[in-house]
């Protein structure tokens, strides 16, 4: 029993060290000088286990993501302000709109390996002063890069929405590229997108808390 406890303690300790180092060590290691004016605002939206990225709904993004209207998302809605993207494991993401909806099989798949999906939601005004919202200014070249990178995360160029229940009236799920596992999950996807925009994140950020802290430390 003591040996088991010792092994568990070592595993947990190693995990904490990796998490700590993954937050403190920046990625990319050296920030490239960026003299461009930071004139575009994006939002990083978190809950205890997940990170979304919201991009402005403007003429450029509505053109890039115009295919979303084919699946019933009202891109011409007058109050539309943000398009919110999240990436995750198909079973857990599509079957767990709230923590009270957790089921054993989706949780096990999220902890091991699952297919990935993108969740897209249309939103109006979002209060950037809320504790789970981080407003980040990026340059125009950075914005073009992250829009393109998010679009490339869909499984195809003109994806159809999955035949699954969304969380509300203005959201849909789509097949995405890549497999999902707990070590390389939704938060590491968000970090990769943000690095495309010219930001530095931690080297490895499997949790929204470590991603948020690394954004504060390195930018």
């Amino acid at each position: 029993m003591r040996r088991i406890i010792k092994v568990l303690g070592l595993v947990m300790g190693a995990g904490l060290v990796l998490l700590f180092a993954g937050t403190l060590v920046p990625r990319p290691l050296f920030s490239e000088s960026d003299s461009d004016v930071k004139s575009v605002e994006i939002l990083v939206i978190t809950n205890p286990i997940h990170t979304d990225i919201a991009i402005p709904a403007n003429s450029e993004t509505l053109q890039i993501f115009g295919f979303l209207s084919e699946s019933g998302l009202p891109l011409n809605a007058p109050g539309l302000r943000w398009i919110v993207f999240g990436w995750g494991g198909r079973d857990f993401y599509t079957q767990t709109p709230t923590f009270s909806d957790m089921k054993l099989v989706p949780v096990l798949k999220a902890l091991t390996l699952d297919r990935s999906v993108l969740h897209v939601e249309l939103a109006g005004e979002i209060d950037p002063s809320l504790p789970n919202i981080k407003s980040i200014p990026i340059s125009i070249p950075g914005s073009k890069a992250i829009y393109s990178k998010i679009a490339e995360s869909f499984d195809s160029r003109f994806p159809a929405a999955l035949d699954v229940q969304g969380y509300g009236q203005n959201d849909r799920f789509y097949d995405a590229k890549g497999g999902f596992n707990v070590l390389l999950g939704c938060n590491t996807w968000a970090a990769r997108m943000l690095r495309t925009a010219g930001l530095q994140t931690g080297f490895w950020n499997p949790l929204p808390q470590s991603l948020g802290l690394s954004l504060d430390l390195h930018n």
Side-chain angles (χ1 to χ4, degrees), residues 138-191:
I138 59 176
S139 65
I140 290 178
S143 71
K144 292 182 181 296
I146 192 172
Y147 301 160
S148 176
K149 195 69 172 177
I150 291 174
E152 290 173 5
S153 294
F154 287 88
D155 191 47
S156 64
R157 186 176 178 184
F158 300 106
L162 299 177
D163 186 20
V164 296
Q165 182 70 39
Y167 294 171
Q169 293 184 339
N170 295 321
D171 70 304
R172 300 287 188 276
F173 286 97
Y174 303 84
D175 280 324
K177 292 178 181 176
F180 176 94
N181 67 72
V182 69
L183 298 179
L184 297 173
C186 56
N187 302 296
T188 58
W189 175 86

Side-chain angles (χ1 to χ4, degrees), residues 7-186:
V7 170
L8 289 175
L10 289 173
V11 170
M12 292 178 63
L16 289 173
V17 169
L18 286 173
L19 187 61
F20 186 72
T23 302
L24 292 184
V25 178
R27 185 175 182 181
L29 193 58
F30 300 103
S31 176
E32 297 180 3
S33 59
D34 185 1
S35 59
D36 293 308
V37 176
K38 307 295 192 297
S39 59
V40 179
E41 178 188 35
I42 61 173
L43 302 178
V44 175
I45 305 172
T46 60
N47 65 34
I49 61 173
H50 178 80
T51 301
D52 283 329
I53 297 174
I55 63 173
N58 55 35
S59 58
E60 181 180 9
T61 57
L62 292 178
Q63 181 178 9
I64 294 172
F65 297 100
F67 59 82
L68 297 174
S69 62
E70 299 297 322
S71 53
L73 288 177
L75 296 181
N76 59 350
L80 180 61
R81 178 71 177 84
W82 300 96
I83 308 176
V84 185
F85 296 90
W87 184 92
R90 176 166 177 161
D91 275 30
F92 185 84
Y93 210 171
T94 60
Q95 297 182 41
T96 317
T98 66
F99 290 121
S100 63
D101 297 303
M102 281 191 180
K103 301 172 185 176
L104 179 59
V105 172
V107 170
L108 290 176
K109 281 197 171 184
L111 293 174
T112 53
L113 184 64
D114 195 5
R115 291 177 293 173
S116 64
V117 293
L118 275 163
H119 179 246
V120 184
E121 182 177 6
L122 305 185
E125 293 295 334
I126 298 176
D127 185 356
S129 67
L130 293 174
N132 67 318
I133 309 292
K134 187 185 295 292
S135 176
I136 301 178
I138 59 176
S139 65
I140 290 178
S143 71
K144 292 182 181 296
I146 192 172
Y147 301 160
S148 176
K149 195 69 172 177
I150 291 174
E152 290 173 5
S153 294
F154 287 88
D155 191 47
S156 64
R157 186 176 178 184
F158 300 106
L162 299 177
D163 186 20
V164 296
Q165 182 70 39
Y167 294 171
Q169 293 184 339
N170 295 321
D171 70 304
R172 300 287 188 276
F173 286 97
Y174 303 84
D175 280 324
K177 292 178 181 176
F180 176 94
N181 67 72
V182 69
L183 298 179
L184 297 173
C186 56

